[in-house]
Amino acid sequence: MGGLGAPEIILIIVAFALMAVFAIAIPIWGYKAGSTRTIGAVPGLFLALFLSFIGILIIYCTPKIQNKDPFAFPPRSSADELQKFKQLLDSGAITEAEFNNQKARILNSGYSKQY
């Protein structure tokens, strides 16, 4: 009596296994959460590694990184559009009448206010 039996040994093994899983999972969680935040991935890893769940809470208190659309084009001003059509006119790609039509469209429609 008083010795360790099979249920106690199994419980100890399960407890150590859970501690090992958490010891690996929490820093990975911190790394991934930090990579989407302004704190960064490596500081997120270290916060989670040394502070565990408190580190995760600190990571989630930092602001998120604003993702920019890589396919979004910068807005063009009416001056940029006029310059583009002037270059087309100078190269002979469009006629003077086409240039004047585009110029009137840009200046009358408030093209720069669309963005």
Side-chain angles (χ1 to χ4, degrees), residues 3 12 14 19 29 34 39 42 48 59 65 68 92 96 105 114:
I12 291 171
V14 168
M19 286 186 341
W29 182 10
I39 195 167
V42 175
I59 294 166
I65 295 173
K68 294 184 179 180
E96 183 80 29
R105 179 187 62 82
Q114 291 178 357

Side-chain angles (χ1 to χ4, degrees), residues 6 10 15 19 25 31 42 45 61-63 65 69 78 81 99 104 110 112:
I10 292 172
M19 286 186 341
Y31 182 85
V42 175
L45 173 98
C61 287
T62 60
I65 295 173
D69 185 11
S78 55
E81 287 296 307
F99 172 75
S112 62

Side-chain angles (χ1 to χ4, degrees), residues 1-6 8-9 12:
M1 292 205 197
L4 290 177
E8 290 85 7
I9 293 174
I12 291 171

Side-chain angles (χ1 to χ4, degrees), residues 99-113:
F99 172 75
N100 288 333
N101 286 339
Q102 292 298 330
K103 181 173 139 183
R105 179 187 62 82
I106 291 168
L107 295 177
N108 292 333
S109 68
Y111 185 81
S112 62
K113 294 179 184 175

Side-chain angles (χ1 to χ4, degrees), residues 8 18 26-27 47 53 57 75 79 85 89 102 105 109 112 115:
E8 290 85 7
L18 285 174
I26 291 176
L47 276 172
F53 288 112
L57 289 174
F85 285 113
L89 175 66
Q102 292 298 330
R105 179 187 62 82
S109 68
S112 62
Y115 295 99

